[in-house]
Amino acid sequence: MLSKMTVGERLFQLVLVAFISLMCAAMMYPFIHVLALSLSSYEESLRPGIHLYPRGWSLDAYKRTFASGDIFIAMGNSVFRTVVGTALSIFAMALGAYPLSKKYLPHRAFYTTFIVFTMFFSGGLIPSYLLIKALGLMDSRWVLIIPTLFSTFTMFIMRNFFMSIPAELEESARMDGANDVRILLTIIMPLSKPILATVALWTAVAHWNAWFDALLYISDHYKMVLQLYLRKLIIENQEQAMQTIMLQTTGDSRPTPETIKAAVLMIATVPIVIVYPFLQKYFVKGIMVGSLKG
């Protein structure tokens, strides 16, 4: 391939590869730095500068972090929110996307315009808070799931993908006596794995990283999510929380607050990174088909 390229094309390819390599290195450096810092010993973690590899290998920061029961509570709440919220969101958006994908739906243009309107205008933070309070969802795990159950943009991506499925499949199913619910569950959903995996990844990442709604609506310590716990350690820098973790065990090799912060960051990042490879093969196909079909 390179032998058939002109000098200008080869130069362009070289510059492109160099640019992408630099971008990848710039994006990977923070992750590598935090990982190396979390695995470094007490003395090495105090040294300033770039950490590209662990110095004086130590798992003490992870041991001290897991010694606190708060992180298990927060992680369990985040896992519950991510799994249940993602599953319910996909089901709810599929129920909205399927009828809107049918041209024979009465008043389809009106419903589409009405739903699109919500993408540009919203009630705002204060009305949303008052609504949540009036519904009795304050300090409930469902307050982290129900208000975020439906994403208009994502629903339209799913609708466009459903429109790309041949109508003949549905017609043959109707001839066999299948209703709309059965067609959706047994034909449309199985054929829509690319877009469902893509939407699942978007929704799961959003739920896993979310913390602001938990900050507003959750006051119970045992319903705190992992990202809120992470925020207390890093942004607010609560010394009492740091000391509680560091005093769980005794010993001379106490980790620094920075290594504990790095360890918690890795604990919060790794789970969602592990999920991505399992959905990657569907990701590009789901995005392309779901966005191009009008």
Side-chain angles (χ1 to χ4, degrees):
M1 180 65 70
L2 291 176
S3 59
K4 298 180 180 180
M5 292 183 179
T6 63
V7 176
E9 292 175 337
R10 293 180 184 180
L11 181 61
F12 174 77
Q13 290 291 331
L14 179 62
V15 173
L16 183 62
V17 171
F19 176 76
I20 294 177
S21 300
L22 289 175
M23 290 294 295
C24 291
M27 294 177 184
M28 287 297 298
Y29 164 68
F31 184 84
I32 295 174
H33 171 78
V34 172
L35 176 61
L37 184 62
S38 68
L39 295 173
S40 297
S41 63
Y42 175 80
E43 294 79 7
E44 296 295 336
S45 63
L46 294 177
R47 296 183 181 180
I50 299 175
H51 292 74
L52 295 178
Y53 56 90
R55 303 173 182 175
W57 286 81
S58 175
L59 295 175
D60 201 49
Y62 290 94
K63 294 178 182 178
R64 303 294 174 87
T65 302
F66 283 113
S68 173
D70 292 343
I71 194 169
F72 291 103
I73 296 173
M75 184 174 293
N77 292 330
S78 289
V79 171
F80 173 82
R81 173 181 185 169
T82 301
V83 174
V84 177
T86 300
L88 293 179
S89 292
I90 291 176
F91 183 70
M93 288 185 287
L95 291 180
Y98 178 65
L100 289 177
S101 66
K102 305 306 172 188
K103 295 182 180 180
Y104 56 79
L105 177 69
H107 310 294
R108 177 172 176 258
F110 170 77
Y111 294 134
T112 302
T113 304
F114 184 79
I115 295 174
V116 170
F117 182 83
T118 63
M119 296 178 62
F120 302 98
F121 301 95
S122 63
L125 181 60
I126 295 178
S128 298
Y129 183 87
L130 295 176
L131 176 63
I132 294 298
K133 187 175 181 180
L135 293 174
L137 293 175
M138 294 293 293
D139 216 21
S140 169
R141 288 186 176 90
W142 293 106
V143 76
L144 307 178
I145 297 175
I146 295 178
T148 59
L149 201 62
F150 200 89
S151 171
T152 304
F153 173 78
T154 307
M155 187 275 292
F156 277 110
I157 295 292
M158 294 181 66
R159 185 207 67 161
N160 294 344
F161 191 96
F162 290 167
M163 292 174 64
S164 68
I165 298 177
E168 291 77 11
L169 295 175
E170 297 186 40
E171 294 175 358
S172 61
R174 293 185 190 280
M175 294 178 62
D176 293 335
N179 55 22
D180 289 323
V181 176
R182 186 173 181 180
I183 291 174
L184 174 62
L185 297 179
T186 61
I187 297 179
I188 302 299
M189 299 290 279
L191 293 176
S192 303
K193 289 182 180 179
I195 193 61
L196 294 180
T198 303
V199 171
L201 181 62
W202 287 349
T203 308
V205 171
H207 275 296
W208 185 264
N209 291 333
W211 60 270
F212 187 66
D213 51 356
L215 179 66
L216 290 177
Y217 306 128
I218 300 294
S219 58
D220 189 349
H221 174 77
Y222 294 98
K223 297 177 182 178
M224 178 176 55
V225 296
L226 183 61
Q227 300 301 332
L228 193 57
Y229 177 77
L230 180 65
R231 179 178 182 273
K232 288 183 177 181
L233 287 180
I234 297 179
I235 300 180
E236 295 181 356
N237 194 22
Q238 294 184 353
E239 296 182 0
Q240 184 177 1
M242 298 294 297
Q243 292 175 1
T244 300
I245 296 176
M246 297 177 67
L247 295 177
Q248 292 292 331
T249 58
T250 58
D252 296 332
S253 58
R254 293 174 57 184
T256 63
E258 292 301 322
T259 56
I260 292 181
K261 292 178 184 178
V264 176
L265 274 172
M266 293 306 303
I267 294 169
T269 304
V270 169
I272 202 67
V273 171
I274 294 176
V275 174
Y276 179 76
F278 297 98
L279 303 177
Q280 183 180 10
K281 62 180 180 180
Y282 301 110
F283 193 77
V284 175
K285 183 179 178 181
I287 290 291
M288 295 300 296
V289 178
S291 59
L292 293 179
K293 182 74 175 177

